[in-house]
Amino acid sequence: MTAPTPELIAGNFEGKSIVSVDQISVQDIDIVMREADAMEAAKLQHGRIGLLEDKIVAPLFYEPSTRTFMSFVSAAKSLMAGVVSERGVNYSSVAKGEILEDTVRTVERYADVLVMRHPTVGSAAVAANVINVPLINAGDGSGEHPTQALLDFRTIQKYNTKPLAETVVAYVGDNKYGRTSKSAAKLLAMYGAEAWFVSPEELAMPREITDQIEERGGKVRVVKHLEEALEAADFLYMMRIQKERFPKQNKVARMFGRPSQYDQVKDQYLLTEELMRTASPTIKIMHPLPRVNEIPLAIDSDPRAIYFDQVEQGLYVRMALLALVCGRTAIKS
Ligand code: NCD
């Protein structure tokens, strides 16, 4: 898909689609974080606030999702917006072969904001380009996941004890097909953070992205051993291997009982309780979730594991984004 370049936010989110972290500046991130603070306080005090009572949000998910889907719906409902199309696209005309452009042009007639997840890189930009209401990218294939990057940023800021320019985030797992580390590392690069990439060689962070990280002022290192990252990084960002994004021949290999590429790389970087004993006492463990087998359940009670708090930050960030694209704020002036 040839994706058009999305418009810069440049201090004003109203009416704009959020497709890529490339649209977002440090000042824009400040706006989102201040708004998210106000949303968190409002949630705590009132549960729900009627900021988007007159608006309708349409989640359009062409890929499985638990957190992103539910947090957007919860965010919309926390702002008392209506939500349409909750059943997932398998029940809609997409299953009959409707093209993306027609679906989003239809949904914009029913809703004020679209939230879309799609398996194709660039699909969010294409969809945003043909409609007149804001579209928020909830993940486009192995491309980007800008709202996850913003919630990751908020989580890091909450737990960080250093300036971001001195902070090391080690992204462990599938940096090739995964979209979360691409968006997070590009966003944190604007603050001069250091990104370490720990992946099986076949799943390394693409050169195009490491170039962009460096152009933005971030530092990049490829690290081979998980132990090194556990000793010296400030945040360890674990990720699953994106099995569904491997080329089709892997399915064929499995059918014939041959090891697929996925089988060969899947268990290379797993966190264990033993590794956690040798890890830095101050490291924080993050994960965009879902996990497959990268982190055993026993680590959840380790105070260094912050991935469920990370999940919660998604609610406040998505409340903030929904309000901002509608030109609303929970900040009392
Ligand atoms: C991630 C995604 O969809 O990219 N999940 C999420 O949104 N929190 C990570 C993944 O699927 O591995």
Side-chain angles (χ1 to χ4, degrees), residues 6 9 13 17-24 29 32-33 68 72 115-117 124-125 135-141 143-154 179-188 190 237 314 317-318 321:
I9 299 298
F13 283 84
S17 290
I18 304 169
V19 165
S20 159
V21 295
D22 298 347
Q23 295 168 266
I24 301 171
I29 296 168
V32 178
M33 294 306 135
T68 308
F72 264 114
V115 180
M116 191 180 85
R117 168 169 288 190
L135 178 143
I136 301 178
N137 180 7
D140 61 326
E144 281 232 31
H145 200 343
T147 68
Q148 179 75 39
L150 288 162
L151 78 89
D152 292 340
F153 175 86
R154 185 170 172 82
R179 51 196 169 203
T180 56
S181 57
K182 291 180 187 124
S183 291
K186 284 206 290 178
L187 190 138
L188 286 161
M190 293 194 281
Y237 192 104
V317 163
R318 288 168 177 141
L321 292 171

Side-chain angles (χ1 to χ4, degrees), residues 121 124 177 185 192 226 239 278 287 310 315 317:
V121 177
Y177 297 117
L226 185 53
M239 290 173 291
T278 63
H287 196 307
Q310 184 183 357
L315 177 63
V317 163

Side-chain angles (χ1 to χ4, degrees), residues 40-100:
E40 186 173 353
K43 244 344 256 176
L44 203 68
Q45 209 185 345
H46 309 290
R48 303 213 278 164
I49 51 164
L51 211 57
L52 297 186
E53 234 163 3
D54 56 337
K55 301 287 182 192
I56 291 180
V57 176
L60 205 56
F61 278 61
Y62 294 81
E63 273 191 343
S65 173
T66 300
R67 276 148 292 272
T68 308
F69 177 78
M70 289 192 73
S71 64
F72 264 114
V73 172
S74 180
K77 292 190 172 179
S78 297
L79 298 168
M80 297 194 197
V83 179
V84 290
S85 174
E86 286 167 294
R87 291 183 305 163
V89 290
N90 285 344
Y91 292 91
S92 75
S93 281
V94 170
K96 302 179 190 168
E98 183 165 73
I99 60 164
L100 179 63

Side-chain angles (χ1 to χ4, degrees), residues 112-126:
D112 303 285
V113 183
L114 270 62
V115 180
M116 191 180 85
R117 168 169 288 190
H118 195 282
T120 310
V121 177
S123 53
V126 167

